[in-house]
Amino acid sequence: LLNSEIIEVKIISINTSKGSFNVWTKTIGSNPKIKILIIPGGPGLTHEYLECFENYFPQKGFEIIEYNQLGSYFSDQPTEESLWTLERFVDEVEQVRIALNLNKDNFYLIGHSFGAVVAFQYALKYQKNLKGLVACNMLASFAEYNKYINVLRSQFPKSTIEFLESFESKGLFKVAEYQSLVMRELYFKYLSKLPEFPEPFLRTITHANTSISDYMLGVNPFNVTGGLINWDIRAELKNIRVPTLLVGSKNDTMDPEYLKWMSTQISNGDFLYCENGSHFPMWDDQEAFMNGIISFINNFEKAK
């Protein structure tokens, strides 16, 4: 069996306060010592924009597991809002870990954006089950996120800011004119530096369950106001003891200098800077991003 072949698509049943639901996973490669579960962002995004990992990690002998959290397109999509809590998402990861036989001797966890929020919280609660952690493009609090993204916004042309405010003052965040401007001034500059969004990313956007992100983050792209508004682990970073890599990008909605500082607060922390990357460096700074994470894992494996 070649490492690049799919070993198994597995549907995992998870238990919640609202009953049992199914979540989707896909395993590629085979390695009893290095099994990497990748949590996508959003919340409500699919694994599809992370399919680029398939071109790097299995070829290095790593086993990767792509997965759709509850509510995402390939998993069950209940509508009960009480399910959209960080605590429940963390518990879901633990149930997935158990179902896939991941443990402290083989289990690496990678989280991107909101997936990194879940990964941080998982490490704080269950790090005894982890071998290593990679947290990509996510600050330690949404207060810091709100602050930095509005620094970026302040650099927009004055006419653009006034136009945005004319919609925001009326709560019109979903209208086409507002969305188009946000896409041009924010997303095409800080989510991806590529001329066009990659096809897997477009599939992810098409399949996104925005009702979850609206509930947990809010509808204002410049200000988190939803259920995660008070999320803040700045004081808890020191409690993460497993080897941890923080990934930041130059052209991101997340301050890379702050991410670098975060890496110094973790006793076993390291930092990867993607000079040509945005919020999705796995696409627009792919070589630096992938090889940096591969080196982090290989260096830790050699040191053991």
Side-chain angles (χ1 to χ4, degrees):
L1 181 68
L2 297 177
N3 276 338
S4 59
E5 292 183 11
I6 298 174
I7 295 177
E8 185 177 20
V9 171
K10 186 173 183 179
I11 307 300
I12 297 172
S13 178
I14 60 163
N15 296 314
T16 76
S17 61
K18 299 299 179 180
S20 295
F21 299 97
N22 294 322
V23 297
W24 182 98
T25 68
K26 177 175 72 172
T27 300
I28 302 170
S30 179
N31 188 326
K33 294 184 178 180
I34 304 175
K35 299 177 183 291
I36 305 169
L37 180 68
I38 310 173
I39 310 177
L45 296 185
T46 68
H47 72 285
E48 291 163 294
Y49 79 94
L50 300 170
E51 290 173 347
C52 49
F53 279 85
E54 299 173 16
N55 297 323
Y56 289 84
F57 282 34
Q59 287 77 2
K60 297 298 181 180
F62 299 171
E63 179 178 324
I64 61 172
I65 303 138
E66 298 168 7
Y67 127 79
N68 277 230
Q69 295 165 299
L70 185 65
S72 298
Y73 183 77
F74 292 88
S75 297
D76 285 351
Q77 299 176 45
T79 58
E80 175 56 58
E81 289 184 339
S82 64
L83 291 169
W84 311 137
T85 69
L86 189 52
E87 294 75 17
R88 196 213 55 77
F89 276 110
V90 169
D91 184 61
E92 178 182 313
V93 173
E94 177 63 359
Q95 293 187 58
V96 169
R97 179 195 71 81
I98 293 169
L100 295 176
N101 297 311
L102 310 177
N103 58 62
K104 63 181 178 60
D105 298 319
N106 59 32
F107 179 29
Y108 287 90
L109 185 61
I110 296 179
H112 173 250
S113 195
F114 170 74
V117 174
V118 178
F120 278 130
Q121 291 296 151
Y122 181 87
L124 288 168
K125 186 174 182 179
Y126 292 112
Q127 61 187 312
K128 66 181 184 296
N129 299 326
L130 276 176
K131 196 172 188 180
L133 173 68
V134 180
C136 309
N137 307 88
M138 187 63 230
L139 303 183
S141 78
F142 279 110
E144 290 295 331
Y145 167 79
N146 285 343
K147 183 193 305 182
Y148 186 69
I149 200 169
N150 280 288
V151 169
L152 300 179
R153 174 186 168 124
S154 70
Q155 299 166 11
F156 294 174
K158 182 179 178 181
S159 59
T160 298
I161 296 173
E162 290 175 348
F163 192 69
L164 289 170
E165 289 174 345
S166 70
F167 288 93
E168 292 164 351
S169 63
K170 301 173 185 175
L172 300 176
F173 297 100
K174 295 288 189 177
V175 299
E177 295 92 337
Y178 182 84
Q179 290 288 317
S180 177
L181 191 59
V182 170
M183 181 70 70
R184 185 176 75 244
E185 295 294 338
L186 184 68
Y187 297 156
F188 279 120
K189 294 179 180 178
Y190 299 104
L191 293 194
S192 174
K193 298 294 288 182
L194 298 176
E196 296 180 349
F197 285 136
E199 186 273 336
F201 184 82
L202 292 176
R203 276 189 277 127
T204 285
I205 297 302
T206 300
H207 293 151
N209 186 345
T210 57
S211 64
I212 306 176
S213 57
D214 287 351
Y215 180 77
M216 297 188 75
L217 301 179
V219 296
N220 185 341
F222 300 100
N223 188 26
V224 170
T225 58
L228 288 178
I229 185 173
N230 294 319
W231 180 75
D232 187 337
I233 60 163
R234 286 174 286 189
E236 297 177 79
L237 291 171
K238 65 181 183 296
N239 297 326
I240 297 176
R241 297 178 299 278
V242 295
T244 299
L245 178 67
L246 280 294
V247 181
S249 305
K250 181 177 181 179
N251 303 296
D252 194 1
T253 53
M254 308 286 174
D255 183 359
E257 287 300 316
Y258 195 90
L259 274 156
K260 184 177 181 179
W261 170 82
M262 287 168 59
S263 72
T264 68
Q265 304 305 295
I266 298 171
S267 60
N268 230 337
D270 202 353
F271 179 65
L272 171 64
Y273 181 58
C274 295
E275 174 74 27
N276 299 310
S278 66
H279 192 60
F280 292 86
M282 68 286 297
W283 286 106
D284 53 17
D285 203 4
Q286 195 165 90
E287 291 291 328
F289 177 84
M290 296 294 179
N291 291 332
I293 297 176
I294 289 168
S295 294
F296 166 75
I297 294 174
N298 279 336
N299 289 339
F300 177 60
E301 290 293 322
K302 291 175 184 176
K304 287 180 65 64

